[in-house]
Amino acid sequence: MQSAVKVNGLSKSFGANNRALKEISFKISSGEMVALIGASGSGKSTLLRLISGLIRSDQLAETEISIFGKVIQKKGKISADARALRSRIGVVFQKFNLVNRLSVLTNVLIGNLGSMPRWKGNLGLFSKAQKRAAMHALERVGMVRQAMQRGSTLSGGQQQRAAIARSLVQGAELLIADEPIASLDPSSARKVMDILSDLNQRDGITVMVSLHQVEYALNYCPRTIALRDGEIVYDGPSQALTQDFLGELYGAESEELFLPGLSSKSDKPVKAATNGVAHPQLSA
Amino acid sequence: MSEIAQDIKIPVTPMRERLVSWASVLIVAGLLVWSWGPVEMYRWVSLFTDASNMGEFASGFLKPNFLDWDIYVADMIVTIQIAVWGTFLAVIVGIPFAILSSNNICPVWVVQPVRRVMDACRAINEIVFALLFVVAVGLGPFAGVMALFVHNLGVVAKLFSESVEAIDPQPVEGIRATGASKLHEIIYGVIPQVVPHWISFGLYRFETNVRSATVLGIVGGGGIGQLLWENIRSFAYSETAAIMIIIIASITLIDLLSQKLRKWAI
């Protein structure tokens, strides 16, 4: 199977003494849904921003990130095709990154900019078909009624769903979600994760999602990559991540990775993971 | 009680701070003394010795003569029209220059030269530009429009770029991540964020420009300034008073209106 993401010897430092990532390598196949977990400061966001080509890595000889077999950055230099590649990558941010003063529909239409003639984009000339596709994307995330509202009038969960609709319109083949549910209440969080999982299952979009809480990784993602202090400490099936194992990996920090109220019962997360009714991909 | 009084120490303002405040007072006093002679401030007594002249002068203004009000109003309207075009051109041309002089959008080797040119536009008063344009394009309102345009270009570029530099970068990053071009980022990410500020600044500049346009006529730049100047020079104080009242009324009206609009824009 073609690899969607291939990361080789990736390091990133901020200043002389702050190494956020230390020579990380991994591969994600097309169609996978992978969780990236770790305490705050472990390098999750940095890794995702590097993969989407928004920041540059350290200039080491072996450093290379490729998306669908094409290099997006190499040895700390963003490749010339980065713009074209970015249009195949949908990025969903913790803070949603919508333009508040534009309507939800316009925010979603922005997803078309990478793949239409530039002058048309500059003048805001979106075609009927593009508008219809945007409305379908909004329908998919349950936001049709809010299409003409300004971004600023939406709740956090709605803004995040609009941001996902933008990635859908973009025709993203890889969806990178950086803590998409960290600023959301539990029910909105579940809705957003359901949508991501649905996109993965039905449309075959590769999803890479960083999460703060292990429960969501267990529930939604068959595979988990765990980071600690800029290094991969675990890469494998999510089911193996029992609380004891996480305690081993993270020590005292593991407390941070569980939802309050569930952390006292170590069997809860595992039970949730084997619950095959809601998420059949985990029982397979 | 007495024990406490002896125990606790009252903090004293440090010597350095006291020296700094005394030095600032001395500097201001020094500046005032230095400028006294050259600006002939010693003539202040004439305000009292020539009080009768002043009284006569002022009494002329007490009987405004509105006989030619229609001419005054027509010229005031031209004055406002000069400000309308001057502001419009400055805003339209100022937007690209504002973007080019914003540190968070353009590299320093673009920002610095553009800013210096804008500084030069701003540094020279409208009246001076009007004098130059009267020579270049001839007497009349068009010279006034050009004068306002060039001076305000510098002002608008500076004000607009300050709001561009204060935007939230996250939505822009969101747009970049979709594979959009740099220009798309500006159109969809930057401009929607700054438009309310730009409208507000633009209206404020319009208010200021109507005020500036009332004197452009003195140097031949069109508008009501010419009438004003002619009447003052021919000691026609009643007519001067009428013109001034019309100017005050128009400017008050425009200020109130634009204040309302600015509130609505933000």
Side-chain angles (χ1 to χ4, degrees), chain A residues 29-50:
Chain A
S29 304
S30 206
E32 271 195 283
M33 179 151 176
V34 181
L36 190 63
I37 64 162
S40 29
S42 57
K44 302 188 295 287
S45 289
T46 309
L47 176 58
L48 293 181
R49 287 163 61 81
L50 282 162

Side-chain angles (χ1 to χ4, degrees), chain A residues 248-261:
Chain A
E248 239 173 79
L249 288 179
Y250 288 101
E253 279 178 25
S254 68
E255 292 282 307
E256 201 190 309
L257 300 170
F258 283 94
L259 288 173

Side-chain angles (χ1 to χ4, degrees), chain A residues 49 83 86-87 89 93 95 97-99 101-102 113-114 118 121-122 124 126 170, chain B residues 170-171 173-181 183-184 187-189 192-193 196 265:
Chain A
R49 287 163 61 81
R83 195 174 99 90
R86 271 193 211 126
S87 68
I89 310 173
F93 301 84
K95 300 278 186 218
N97 293 16
L98 295 179
V99 185
R101 293 187 62 87
L102 298 179
L113 290 175
R118 284 195 195 190
N122 291 340
F126 296 106
Q170 208 183 314
Chain B
Q170 288 180 331
E173 192 169 67
I175 290 169
R176 185 177 316 145
T178 67
S181 73
L183 189 56
H184 291 147
I187 292 172
Y188 291 95
Q193 289 193 57

Side-chain angles (χ1 to χ4, degrees), chain B:
Chain B
M1 268 300 259
S2 61
E3 220 172 282
I4 293 167
Q6 277 163 8
D7 246 17
I8 200 149
K9 217 174 124 192
I10 298 164
V12 186
T13 317
M15 193 53 148
R16 232 183 81 88
E17 274 179 39
R18 274 185 292 168
L19 278 178
V20 166
S21 43
W22 275 111
S24 0
V25 171
L26 280 177
I27 288 170
V28 172
L31 277 173
L32 289 171
V33 169
W34 177 62
S35 314
W36 180 269
V39 301
E40 304 179 356
M41 281 303 288
Y42 48 80
R43 283 177 57 184
W44 62 276
V45 276
S46 59
L47 284 177
F48 301 96
T49 52
D50 300 338
S52 57
N53 280 356
M54 296 284 292
E56 201 179 308
F57 187 63
S59 68
F61 284 93
L62 288 178
K63 296 187 282 293
N65 177 2
F66 282 101
L67 199 67
D68 291 326
W69 68 273
D70 48 341
I71 300 174
Y72 305 155
V73 170
D75 268 19
M76 189 63 218
I77 290 173
V78 172
T79 309
I80 295 170
Q81 287 165 331
I82 292 173
V84 166
W85 268 101
T87 314
F88 173 77
L89 290 176
V91 167
I92 294 300
V93 181
I95 287 172
F97 281 112
I99 304 272
L100 289 175
S101 54
S102 300
N103 267 323
N104 53 345
I105 309 278
C106 290
V108 69
W109 54 268
V110 173
V111 170
Q112 285 306 324
V114 174
R115 278 197 185 173
R116 295 294 84 78
V117 174
M118 293 297 109
D119 285 349
C121 292
R122 213 166 45 241
I124 295 164
N125 193 285
E126 295 97 327
I127 291 279
V128 181
F129 276 126
L131 281 167
L132 296 174
F133 277 109
V134 163
V135 176
V137 301
L139 288 169
F142 183 65
V145 169
M146 287 294 111
L148 285 184
F149 161 48
V150 177
H151 176 77
N152 279 279
L153 180 63
V155 180
V156 163
K158 185 188 167 80
L159 287 175
F160 282 20
S161 81
E162 272 168 15
S163 41
V164 169
E165 287 179 348
I167 57 158
D168 176 3
Q170 288 180 331
V172 183
E173 192 169 67
I175 290 169
R176 185 177 316 145
T178 67
S181 73
K182 188 88 187 171
L183 189 56
H184 291 147
E185 286 172 31
I186 294 170
I187 292 172
Y188 291 95
V190 178
I191 292 189
Q193 289 193 57
V194 293
V195 149
H197 296 109
W198 285 4
I199 292 175
S200 171
F201 285 143
L203 286 168
Y204 181 69
R205 284 319 295 172
F206 175 64
E207 290 172 35
T208 317
N209 285 341
V210 175
R211 276 193 289 274
S212 306
T214 57
V215 293
L216 289 173
I218 295 175
V219 296
I224 203 164
Q226 195 176 347
L227 272 179
L228 187 67
W229 182 228
E230 279 168 7
N231 280 301
I232 291 175
R233 274 200 307 186
S234 50
F235 307 106
Y237 295 136
S238 306
E239 285 74 15
T240 308
I243 294 171
M244 283 169 116
I245 287 168
I246 284 174
I247 292 176
I248 292 168
S250 322
I251 291 205
T252 311
L253 204 69
I254 284 170
D255 281 10
L256 287 175
L257 211 72
S258 130
Q259 213 172 9
K260 279 264 152 59
L261 282 173
R262 277 193 281 143
K263 277 210 186 109
W264 167 82
I266 282 200

